Amino acid sequence: MSPVQDKRRPAARAGLRHGVLRAGRWSLRFDPRAVLVCGALAALAAFAMVLAIGTGTYALSPAEVVRTLAGDGPPGAEFVVLDLRLPRALVAALVGFGMGMAGAVFQSLTRNPLGSPDVIGFGNGASAGALVAIIVLDAGTAQTAIGAVLGGCATAAAVYLLAWKRGVHGYRLVLVGIGASAVLGAVTNFLYLRADIGKAAQAASWTIGSLNARDWSDVTVAALGVALLGPVVLVYARRLTMLEMGDDTAAALGVPPERSRLVLLAAGTGLTALAVAAAGPVPFVAMAAPQLARRVTRAAGPNVLPAAWMGALLLTSADLATQRLTGSALLPVGVLTGVAGGAYLAWLLRAERRGARL
């Protein structure tokens, strides 16, 4: 076999990993393995939701949960499933989906596995905005969601402007974001100090992340972010891949780097803010989901959609675990994700250190 043929074989094998769907003038290139991974993650997340819905004092089997959702459940199950438990499960899936997608965007933009919205301060900004609405303005659910969005967007704008120096580079964005996160932590503590006990208790879920007492209004908030901003991220996913190659390469390929980065930053911030508005700043889901998705798909690039489904699976599984471990739904899910995320962060730092030695 000639040397020329040897060089062509890897390219041919790489091409077999991708499929193409064509409809008239439009075509869609996809990775079959990534599609299978997304389907498997979605199925596992749905199964975790069914188990979580059936968990509680009024226990239901998975078959009874499915029958109740179809309108043929046992007596009394309809109220428990549809009014009490289904909103919580849907919020977990939608918030995890949005956080996983936002994490993939930010980690790709910063080219850093630590560049997730909860580390670089965008989640804390949304949380601070929600706390201002609750403690200072005595706002309701809708106003709190607006406060979270405004807080997240204001934080993103401040970090972006402070990190600007002939463009925005990943390491500066991470460093400025960590500083902003520390400042916002101080703001949050100040808000708690000036709040009365009742408002402080009401706002407590915004500091750790909780799925307790979620209702259909919270589902609407979380679904709004996924429905409006998820398509924007998916449309710009190809540009995100090109931005990972560097601004000069992206510009040579016809992608305006700074404008594309700004749109993706705005979309990721909106996803984070609306997720925080629905469930509070659940830690580490946005950091872990893209890394785990990349290992499962074995594909380079942002893996936006697999990361989103991985986030949904992580948060629905965490919700199930908190209910099964404690026997109730009172433990905030952010406690479990914080413990698991801390262990994951230690492992990630150790892996990065070992990789640097090689």
Side-chain angles (χ1 to χ4, degrees), residues 125-295:
S127 179
L131 288 176
V132 169
I134 293 172
I135 295 174
V136 179
L137 303 178
D138 196 19
T141 301
Q143 292 81 4
T144 301
I146 293 173
V149 172
L150 292 178
C153 291
T155 303
V159 170
Y160 184 86
L161 292 174
L162 290 172
W164 175 274
K165 185 179 180 181
R166 294 189 297 274
V168 175
H169 296 281
Y171 74 93
R172 282 205 303 268
L173 194 66
V174 172
L175 290 176
V176 173
I178 291 174
S181 182
V183 172
L184 289 166
V187 171
T188 300
N189 291 334
F190 172 75
L191 289 172
Y192 269 110
L193 286 174
R194 62 163 293 173
D196 58 46
I197 294 178
K199 287 185 179 180
Q202 180 186 355
S205 64
W206 295 101
T207 61
I208 187 60
S210 175
L211 297 171
N212 298 336
R214 300 304 165 195
D215 56 25
W216 287 104
S217 63
D218 298 303
V219 175
T220 302
V221 171
L224 194 63
V226 173
L228 294 181
L229 299 173
V232 175
V233 174
L234 293 177
V235 168
Y236 274 75
R238 178 179 171 82
R239 297 190 182 190
L240 195 58
T241 302
M242 294 179 182
L243 287 173
E244 288 186 347
M245 303 177 188
D247 288 2
D248 293 338
T249 303
L253 294 172
V255 174
E258 211 55 50
R259 187 171 65 189
S260 300
R261 189 180 291 111
L262 189 59
V263 171
L264 286 163
L265 184 65
T269 302
L271 281 169
T272 302
L274 288 169
V276 170
V282 182
F284 287 109
V285 172
M287 177 188 289
Q291 298 297 316
L292 295 176
R294 187 174 291 112
R295 283 164 172 77

Side-chain angles (χ1 to χ4, degrees), residues 283-285 287-288 314 318 333-347:
F284 287 109
V285 172
M287 177 188 289
L314 289 177
V333 72
V335 173
L336 183 61
T337 60
V339 172
Y344 170 78
L345 180 59
W347 172 84

Side-chain angles (χ1 to χ4, degrees), residues 77-149:
E78 184 174 348
F79 171 74
V80 173
V81 170
L82 298 182
D83 292 341
L84 299 182
R85 298 180 183 174
L86 181 59
R88 177 189 178 112
L90 287 175
V91 168
L94 290 168
V95 167
F97 190 97
M99 285 188 168
M101 182 174 283
V105 169
F106 286 117
Q107 289 184 15
S108 181
L109 288 176
T110 60
R111 304 174 204 169
N112 191 322
L114 297 179
S116 65
D118 47 352
V119 172
I120 60 178
F122 295 175
N124 287 346
S127 179
L131 288 176
V132 169
I134 293 172
I135 295 174
V136 179
L137 303 178
D138 196 19
T141 301
Q143 292 81 4
T144 301
I146 293 173
V149 172

